[in-house]
Amino acid sequence: MSKRGTGARGKGERPDAMATLQAANEELRAKLTDIQIELQQEKNKVSTASPRMHLQELRAEHHRATVAVTELKTKLHQEKQKELAVTRETLLRQHEMELMRVIKIKDGEIQRLNGLVVTLRDGSTDKVRSALLAEVEEARRSWEAERCRFQQEVQELRGAKKSAEEALAAAQQASQARASELRSAHHQHQEELNRTKRDCEREVRRLMDEIKLKDRAVSVLDKALGLQAGHAHRLQLQTQAAEQQIAAMRDAQRAGLNHPSPNSTNNNAPHIVRPASSCMP
């Protein structure tokens, strides 16, 4: 009876442990799904952002994904360690209870044999024979009952072992699939990071080339502006010189009209100094 109760408790604890493991697997799967959704959302956000922001967000997302994977691995390891500890304690309790049951059975057998010895000493042959036959019949019935019980327990243990093996195989397949998904997501994330880095470097080179071209254009425009400013200054100086000459000629003409002389009629023709022409650069 104690062994049967122990087996029932062991079977009750094993489904609880399997349920705990399944709950942990479901929680890990849900976290993985949330991480994948968040990664997809971040990819969608990053596709519309600038290259530099894209690179920074991808790096931050890669760091968060690495931390999440590490936490998931640590939690899975802790769950496995807890499951192993619970299984070890269950097996130890079963072993102790089975040992106590065997000790009780042995004590009962010893007491029965002692009583049989006492009966053999004190009783007659017929009594001894009937007692022996009754003892043999009782032992046979006990043996049959024990054998049936042992067979039933073996069948139950086989079924529990098969269920545990199936659950373990399913958990291993789920862990492998989850690890494969994580590796694939990490690989895709790394490729996206490298591609974004290359795009950023290409965009930076293009912007630097544009800046150099604009610097050259600005230099050319500065030179042209300097030449135009010099030309305008020369024209202004020439204009001022011409105006001064015209003013001097007008003053000379006024002076000649106020004081005319006989010999100055033919010598007072206006002499206009033409300004030297300047060439455009």
Side-chain angles (χ1 to χ4, degrees), residues 253-273:
Q253 287 177 0
R254 290 194 189 97
L257 292 174
N258 292 326
H259 302 283
S261 62
N263 294 325
S264 63
T265 305
N266 296 324
N267 294 327
N268 288 332
H271 179 70
I272 300 172
V273 180

PDB file of all heavy atoms in Angstrom, residues 253-273:
ATOM      1  N   GLN A 253      37.980 126.657 -70.252  1.00  0.00           N
ATOM      2  CA  GLN A 253      37.151 127.349 -71.232  1.00  0.00           C
ATOM      3  C   GLN A 253      36.543 128.610 -70.617  1.00  0.00           C
ATOM      4  O   GLN A 253      36.470 129.674 -71.255  1.00  0.00           O
ATOM      5  CB  GLN A 253      36.046 126.415 -71.741  1.00  0.00           C
ATOM      6  CG  GLN A 253      36.564 125.336 -72.677  1.00  0.00           C
ATOM      7  CD  GLN A 253      35.449 124.389 -73.084  1.00  0.00           C
ATOM      8  OE1 GLN A 253      34.290 124.549 -72.663  1.00  0.00           O
ATOM      9  NE2 GLN A 253      35.807 123.421 -73.925  1.00  0.00           N
ATOM     10  N   ARG A 254      36.057 128.512 -69.376  1.00  0.00           N
ATOM     11  CA  ARG A 254      35.490 129.702 -68.737  1.00  0.00           C
ATOM     12  C   ARG A 254      36.548 130.801 -68.584  1.00  0.00           C
ATOM     13  O   ARG A 254      36.279 131.990 -68.795  1.00  0.00           O
ATOM     14  CB  ARG A 254      34.922 129.346 -67.371  1.00  0.00           C
ATOM     15  CG  ARG A 254      33.663 128.502 -67.429  1.00  0.00           C
ATOM     16  CD  ARG A 254      32.990 128.490 -66.080  1.00  0.00           C
ATOM     17  NE  ARG A 254      31.903 127.524 -66.064  1.00  0.00           N
ATOM     18  CZ  ARG A 254      31.983 126.309 -65.596  1.00  0.00           C
ATOM     19  NH1 ARG A 254      33.147 125.894 -65.084  1.00  0.00           N
ATOM     20  NH2 ARG A 254      30.942 125.508 -65.623  1.00  0.00           N
ATOM     21  N   ALA A 255      37.765 130.403 -68.234  1.00  0.00           N
ATOM     22  CA  ALA A 255      38.843 131.381 -68.071  1.00  0.00           C
ATOM     23  C   ALA A 255      39.187 132.032 -69.413  1.00  0.00           C
ATOM     24  O   ALA A 255      39.450 133.240 -69.503  1.00  0.00           O
ATOM     25  CB  ALA A 255      40.077 130.701 -67.473  1.00  0.00           C
ATOM     26  N   GLY A 256      39.159 131.274 -70.530  1.00  0.00           N
ATOM     27  CA  GLY A 256      39.455 131.813 -71.855  1.00  0.00           C
ATOM     28  C   GLY A 256      38.388 132.770 -72.323  1.00  0.00           C
ATOM     29  O   GLY A 256      38.651 133.771 -72.992  1.00  0.00           O
ATOM     30  N   LEU A 257      37.157 132.513 -72.003  1.00  0.00           N
ATOM     31  CA  LEU A 257      36.070 133.399 -72.411  1.00  0.00           C
ATOM     32  C   LEU A 257      36.117 134.717 -71.645  1.00  0.00           C
ATOM     33  O   LEU A 257      35.768 135.777 -72.165  1.00  0.00           O
ATOM     34  CB  LEU A 257      34.706 132.699 -72.200  1.00  0.00           C
ATOM     35  CG  LEU A 257      34.418 131.496 -73.138  1.00  0.00           C
ATOM     36  CD1 LEU A 257      33.131 130.818 -72.726  1.00  0.00           C
ATOM     37  CD2 LEU A 257      34.320 132.002 -74.589  1.00  0.00           C
ATOM     38  N   ASN A 258      36.506 134.661 -70.397  1.00  0.00           N
ATOM     39  CA  ASN A 258      36.572 135.894 -69.600  1.00  0.00           C
ATOM     40  C   ASN A 258      37.770 136.757 -70.005  1.00  0.00           C
ATOM     41  O   ASN A 258      37.710 137.987 -69.936  1.00  0.00           O
ATOM     42  CB  ASN A 258      36.649 135.559 -68.113  1.00  0.00           C
ATOM     43  CG  ASN A 258      35.332 134.929 -67.609  1.00  0.00           C
ATOM     44  OD1 ASN A 258      34.271 135.311 -68.122  1.00  0.00           O
ATOM     45  ND2 ASN A 258      35.423 134.049 -66.647  1.00  0.00           N
ATOM     46  N   HIS A 259      38.902 136.215 -70.434  1.00  0.00           N
ATOM     47  CA  HIS A 259      40.107 136.964 -70.817  1.00  0.00           C
ATOM     48  C   HIS A 259      40.549 136.494 -72.200  1.00  0.00           C
ATOM     49  O   HIS A 259      41.519 135.726 -72.318  1.00  0.00           O
ATOM     50  CB  HIS A 259      41.217 136.719 -69.788  1.00  0.00           C
ATOM     51  CG  HIS A 259      40.809 137.118 -68.394  1.00  0.00           C
ATOM     52  ND1 HIS A 259      40.767 138.450 -67.973  1.00  0.00           N
ATOM     53  CD2 HIS A 259      40.407 136.385 -67.327  1.00  0.00           C
ATOM     54  CE1 HIS A 259      40.386 138.497 -66.714  1.00  0.00           C
ATOM     55  NE2 HIS A 259      40.146 137.234 -66.286  1.00  0.00           N
ATOM     56  N   PRO A 260      39.927 136.966 -73.330  1.00  0.00           N
ATOM     57  CA  PRO A 260      40.324 136.513 -74.651  1.00  0.00           C
ATOM     58  C   PRO A 260      41.597 137.211 -75.100  1.00  0.00           C
ATOM     59  O   PRO A 260      41.888 138.324 -74.679  1.00  0.00           O
ATOM     60  CB  PRO A 260      39.117 136.879 -75.521  1.00  0.00           C
ATOM     61  CG  PRO A 260      38.511 138.052 -74.821  1.00  0.00           C
ATOM     62  CD  PRO A 260      38.738 137.856 -73.351  1.00  0.00           C
ATOM     63  N   SER A 261      42.395 136.592 -75.928  1.00  0.00           N
ATOM     64  CA  SER A 261      43.639 137.146 -76.495  1.00  0.00           C
ATOM     65  C   SER A 261      43.647 136.893 -77.986  1.00  0.00           C
ATOM     66  O   SER A 261      43.021 135.941 -78.463  1.00  0.00           O
ATOM     67  CB  SER A 261      44.853 136.521 -75.833  1.00  0.00           C
ATOM     68  OG  SER A 261      44.870 135.125 -76.075  1.00  0.00           O
ATOM     69  N   PRO A 262      44.425 137.708 -78.790  1.00  0.00           N
ATOM     70  CA  PRO A 262      44.372 137.534 -80.242  1.00  0.00           C
ATOM     71  C   PRO A 262      44.952 136.209 -80.675  1.00  0.00           C
ATOM     72  O   PRO A 262      44.515 135.630 -81.654  1.00  0.00           O
ATOM     73  CB  PRO A 262      45.216 138.692 -80.772  1.00  0.00           C
ATOM     74  CG  PRO A 262      45.285 139.686 -79.670  1.00  0.00           C
ATOM     75  CD  PRO A 262      45.130 138.981 -78.387  1.00  0.00           C
ATOM     76  N   ASN A 263      45.936 135.777 -79.947  1.00  0.00           N
ATOM     77  CA  ASN A 263      46.606 134.531 -80.400  1.00  0.00           C
ATOM     78  C   ASN A 263      45.972 133.277 -79.811  1.00  0.00           C
ATOM     79  O   ASN A 263      46.422 132.182 -80.086  1.00  0.00           O
ATOM     80  CB  ASN A 263      48.087 134.589 -80.017  1.00  0.00           C
ATOM     81  CG  ASN A 263      48.834 135.683 -80.751  1.00  0.00           C
ATOM     82  OD1 ASN A 263      48.517 135.950 -81.917  1.00  0.00           O
ATOM     83  ND2 ASN A 263      49.779 136.331 -80.079  1.00  0.00           N
ATOM     84  N   SER A 264      45.007 133.488 -79.011  1.00  0.00           N
ATOM     85  CA  SER A 264      44.412 132.310 -78.354  1.00  0.00           C
ATOM     86  C   SER A 264      43.157 131.830 -79.028  1.00  0.00           C
ATOM     87  O   SER A 264      42.488 130.940 -78.529  1.00  0.00           O
ATOM     88  CB  SER A 264      44.077 132.638 -76.891  1.00  0.00           C
ATOM     89  OG  SER A 264      43.106 133.652 -76.851  1.00  0.00           O
ATOM     90  N   THR A 265      42.810 132.470 -80.204  1.00  0.00           N
ATOM     91  CA  THR A 265      41.569 132.048 -80.860  1.00  0.00           C
ATOM     92  C   THR A 265      41.707 130.679 -81.461  1.00  0.00           C
ATOM     93  O   THR A 265      40.805 129.848 -81.351  1.00  0.00           O
ATOM     94  CB  THR A 265      41.195 133.057 -81.965  1.00  0.00           C
ATOM     95  OG1 THR A 265      41.137 134.338 -81.392  1.00  0.00           O
ATOM     96  CG2 THR A 265      39.875 132.689 -82.599  1.00  0.00           C
ATOM     97  N   ASN A 266      42.865 130.475 -82.058  1.00  0.00           N
ATOM     98  CA  ASN A 266      43.067 129.176 -82.702  1.00  0.00           C
ATOM     99  C   ASN A 266      43.725 128.152 -81.777  1.00  0.00           C
ATOM    100  O   ASN A 266      43.907 126.998 -82.161  1.00  0.00           O
ATOM    101  CB  ASN A 266      43.934 129.340 -83.956  1.00  0.00           C
ATOM    102  CG  ASN A 266      43.248 130.184 -85.000  1.00  0.00           C
ATOM    103  OD1 ASN A 266      42.022 130.095 -85.150  1.00  0.00           O
ATOM    104  ND2 ASN A 266      44.013 131.040 -85.698  1.00  0.00           N
ATOM    105  N   ASN A 267      44.182 128.654 -80.598  1.00  0.00           N
ATOM    106  CA  ASN A 267      44.888 127.705 -79.704  1.00  0.00           C
ATOM    107  C   ASN A 267      44.033 127.241 -78.542  1.00  0.00           C
ATOM    108  O   ASN A 267      44.526 126.552 -77.654  1.00  0.00           O
ATOM    109  CB  ASN A 267      46.152 128.361 -79.146  1.00  0.00           C
ATOM    110  CG  ASN A 267      47.154 128.621 -80.256  1.00  0.00           C
ATOM    111  OD1 ASN A 267      47.219 127.838 -81.199  1.00  0.00           O
ATOM    112  ND2 ASN A 267      47.919 129.719 -80.129  1.00  0.00           N
ATOM    113  N   ASN A 268      42.765 127.716 -78.498  1.00  0.00           N
ATOM    114  CA  ASN A 268      41.920 127.306 -77.364  1.00  0.00           C
ATOM    115  C   ASN A 268      40.964 126.171 -77.708  1.00  0.00           C
ATOM    116  O   ASN A 268      39.926 126.034 -77.100  1.00  0.00           O
ATOM    117  CB  ASN A 268      41.090 128.507 -76.878  1.00  0.00           C
ATOM    118  CG  ASN A 268      41.963 129.517 -76.169  1.00  0.00           C
ATOM    119  OD1 ASN A 268      42.979 129.145 -75.593  1.00  0.00           O
ATOM    120  ND2 ASN A 268      41.552 130.786 -76.216  1.00  0.00           N
ATOM    121  N   ALA A 269      41.291 125.398 -78.659  1.00  0.00           N
ATOM    122  CA  ALA A 269      40.426 124.234 -78.958  1.00  0.00           C
ATOM    123  C   ALA A 269      40.483 123.242 -77.796  1.00  0.00           C
ATOM    124  O   ALA A 269      41.540 122.970 -77.248  1.00  0.00           O
ATOM    125  CB  ALA A 269      40.891 123.556 -80.245  1.00  0.00           C
ATOM    126  N   PRO A 270      39.381 122.750 -77.430  1.00  0.00           N
ATOM    127  CA  PRO A 270      39.387 121.830 -76.260  1.00  0.00           C
ATOM    128  C   PRO A 270      40.142 120.560 -76.566  1.00  0.00           C
ATOM    129  O   PRO A 270      39.986 119.964 -77.610  1.00  0.00           O
ATOM    130  CB  PRO A 270      37.901 121.549 -76.016  1.00  0.00           C
ATOM    131  CG  PRO A 270      37.244 121.806 -77.313  1.00  0.00           C
ATOM    132  CD  PRO A 270      38.027 122.909 -77.983  1.00  0.00           C
ATOM    133  N   HIS A 271      41.005 120.220 -75.610  1.00  0.00           N
ATOM    134  CA  HIS A 271      41.799 118.976 -75.714  1.00  0.00           C
ATOM    135  C   HIS A 271      41.240 117.973 -74.710  1.00  0.00           C
ATOM    136  O   HIS A 271      41.375 118.161 -73.502  1.00  0.00           O
ATOM    137  CB  HIS A 271      43.260 119.278 -75.433  1.00  0.00           C
ATOM    138  CG  HIS A 271      44.109 118.047 -75.510  1.00  0.00           C
ATOM    139  ND1 HIS A 271      44.388 117.391 -76.685  1.00  0.00           N
ATOM    140  CD2 HIS A 271      44.761 117.386 -74.535  1.00  0.00           C
ATOM    141  CE1 HIS A 271      45.163 116.355 -76.443  1.00  0.00           C
ATOM    142  NE2 HIS A 271      45.405 116.326 -75.128  1.00  0.00           N
ATOM    143  N   ILE A 272      40.568 116.997 -75.221  1.00  0.00           N
ATOM    144  CA  ILE A 272      39.914 115.983 -74.340  1.00  0.00           C
ATOM    145  C   ILE A 272      40.840 114.808 -74.222  1.00  0.00           C
ATOM    146  O   ILE A 272      41.270 114.211 -75.195  1.00  0.00           O
ATOM    147  CB  ILE A 272      38.559 115.538 -74.886  1.00  0.00           C
ATOM    148  CG1 ILE A 272      37.642 116.758 -74.976  1.00  0.00           C
ATOM    149  CG2 ILE A 272      37.946 114.469 -74.027  1.00  0.00           C
ATOM    150  CD1 ILE A 272      36.330 116.467 -75.679  1.00  0.00           C
ATOM    151  N   VAL A 273      41.156 114.480 -73.001  1.00  0.00           N
ATOM    152  CA  VAL A 273      41.989 113.259 -72.734  1.00  0.00           C
ATOM    153  C   VAL A 273      41.051 112.098 -72.573  1.00  0.00           C
ATOM    154  O   VAL A 273      40.202 112.069 -71.666  1.00  0.00           O
ATOM    155  CB  VAL A 273      42.822 113.464 -71.470  1.00  0.00           C
ATOM    156  CG1 VAL A 273      43.641 112.232 -71.223  1.00  0.00           C
ATOM    157  CG2 VAL A 273      43.701 114.698 -71.616  1.00  0.00           C
TER     158      VAL A 273
END
